[in-house]
Amino acid sequence: MSKMLVSKSSVNIRTISNITALTTFILLTGCQTLPSTMSKTMQAPANNMSASNPLTAQMSAVDRQGRIAYVEEQGIGAAKMSTLYSIRPDGSDRQLIDQLNGYIYAPAWSADGQLLAYSKQAPRQHPKIYIYDRKSNIRNLAVNAEGSNMSASFSPDGQKLLYSSTVGGNADIYEIRLSDGKTTQLTTLPSTEVQPSYASDGQSFVYTSDKVRAGRPRIYRYHFETASATPVPTSGYVASPQLSLDGQRMAYLNGRKAAVMTLSTGQITNLAETGLDEPARLSPSAQYAVYPTKLSQVGGQNSGSLVIHSLSGNTSYAIGSKVGGVVRSPIWGR
């Protein structure tokens, strides 16, 4: 089933409307808190260099030289202000990408780390998907269909974008070809299908669906060749999957915990319950995971940090928010 969605435009802004599907989107988008038994915890200042951070110094170049994009929120209701930043894993070189009175959701890097897709919603508007180009420093509107357009994911070649949208009524998954805006609807179920994430070979993607039981999401893998989906073996409430580049691990939300699963064995590493119900996200090498945590209150507002955790050494450190806001949706790119 194919349909054209409004696409193309250039720059701009977002608020949450009372749409049932959008509420489901937000419930399925995930968060956590610092583990109580960290081997090592370090608070990295904004100008921290890798030489002063033993964990960062041990990272491979692909991780150390990459960038983590994340959202920082301040205020509530009509006063909500969202800011999209990128930062080095050592806490240095924090850069502002976008900001608006409203909401920014779920940033996602292209495979080469040059493009960043994300949703944003200005007051009294539906969420739209934008793509930021690091080289030109330009933001272009990619998806502006009526409804809630969320959870973008770049194809490995950067030519297409997966996303979920309520343009057809309930939430389904779509794929858009960025060169001309041609859009294909991939799921057509009456249930909620959200949070797609491409596998690095481009042959499949993982996503979240509550088709078995409403409000009880599970993770599935959709295969392009057969246009069919199979469940990923998990239990309980799970959501927001992301596959590692080597296809060996999956980061996701396991109940209320940021977690990583080794797919070949089914072994699960629960990293933390962050207090935000957000998932973990893997570094390019899949040797580290990043997740947000709600740590304290500043001026009556919740503030938080990014936690970077070594999956092999069981060590962690934190990078504080820039202005004491709530930290959400980190994603680690090249």
Side-chain angles (χ1 to χ4, degrees):
M1 177 177 175
S2 235
K3 64 175 84 170
M4 295 298 296
L5 301 190
V6 181
S7 219
K8 308 281 183 224
S9 195
S10 99
V11 218
N12 276 350
I13 338 195
R14 125 191 194 323
T15 266
I16 288 186
S17 55
N18 291 321
I19 302 172
T20 302
L22 179 55
T23 303
T24 305
F25 277 19
I26 297 167
L27 289 174
L28 296 184
T29 302
C31 297
Q32 290 82 99
T33 350
L34 279 172
S36 58
T37 56
M38 279 188 167
S39 309
K40 184 183 298 182
T41 303
M42 295 172 278
Q43 189 71 24
N47 61 353
N48 187 31
M49 303 305 291
S50 61
S52 63
N53 188 326
L55 185 55
T56 307
Q58 296 169 10
M59 287 181 181
S60 62
V62 69
D63 290 339
R64 189 174 62 251
Q65 295 171 8
R67 298 196 69 86
I68 298 171
Y70 74 96
V71 178
E72 189 166 334
E73 296 179 345
Q74 290 182 296
I76 58 174
K80 174 72 72 177
M81 180 66 66
S82 297
T83 306
L84 178 61
Y85 291 106
S86 73
I87 196 169
R88 295 286 186 190
D90 64 4
S92 67
D93 192 27
R94 190 172 345 226
Q95 297 178 4
L96 187 150
I97 295 173
D98 204 351
Q99 184 177 61
L100 80 156
N101 175 209
Y103 294 82
I104 296 177
Y105 304 109
W109 290 108
S110 59
D112 62 5
Q114 294 305 304
L115 301 175
L116 184 71
Y118 58 99
S119 298
K120 62 179 183 176
Q121 185 181 21
R124 294 175 296 281
Q125 295 185 23
H126 59 268
K128 307 169 186 178
I129 296 175
Y130 289 77
I131 295 177
Y132 168 74
D133 188 321
R134 286 181 58 197
K135 186 176 296 184
S136 65
N137 200 34
I138 291 175
R139 295 174 294 277
N140 291 305
L141 181 60
V143 180
N144 186 22
E146 287 299 323
S148 300
N149 307 296
M150 309 278 280
S151 302
S153 173
F154 281 100
S155 61
D157 62 7
Q159 301 302 305
K160 296 178 180 179
L161 206 66
L162 286 173
Y163 65 96
S164 53
S165 178
T166 59
V167 63
N170 60 296
D172 276 303
I173 294 171
Y174 297 78
E175 184 179 60
I176 183 170
R177 188 165 64 195
L178 295 173
S179 60
D180 60 8
K182 181 182 179 183
T183 302
T184 303
Q185 183 175 350
L186 300 179
T187 63
T188 58
L189 300 171
S191 47
T192 297
E193 277 66 52
V194 292
Q195 301 167 338
S197 181
Y198 276 105
S200 61
D201 62 5
Q203 301 302 304
S204 64
F205 65 86
V206 288
Y207 67 99
T208 303
S209 172
D210 65 354
K211 65 181 180 180
V212 172
R213 180 180 171 188
R216 194 72 172 176
R218 298 179 65 184
I219 293 171
Y220 294 82
R221 187 191 286 257
Y222 180 98
H223 304 272
F224 285 102
E225 184 177 5
T226 61
S228 62
T230 55
V232 177
T234 55
S235 61
Y237 184 107
V238 293
S240 197
Q242 177 215 24
L243 296 173
S244 60
L245 292 178
D246 62 9
Q248 301 301 306
R249 285 173 163 166
M250 181 180 74
Y252 66 111
L253 178 68
N254 185 25
R256 300 186 66 87
K257 296 181 174 66
V260 175
M261 175 188 288
T262 301
L263 293 173
S264 60
T265 64
Q267 179 182 353
I268 298 170
T269 302
N270 287 314
L271 302 178
E273 186 172 318
T274 63
L276 297 167
D277 291 336
E278 290 215 10
R281 286 296 179 248
L282 294 164
S283 70
S285 74
Q287 298 303 305
Y288 299 86
V290 60
Y291 59 88
T293 184
K294 185 189 294 184
L295 291 177
S296 61
Q297 287 201 329
V298 177
Q301 296 292 322
N302 290 319
S303 65
S305 298
L306 298 173
V307 175
I308 295 177
H309 182 87
S310 169
L311 295 174
S312 59
N314 196 32
T315 55
S316 303
Y317 66 95
I319 300 172
S321 61
K322 181 172 177 60
V323 289
V326 176
V327 173
R328 294 191 180 276
S329 304
I331 187 75
W332 199 328
R334 291 178 181 270

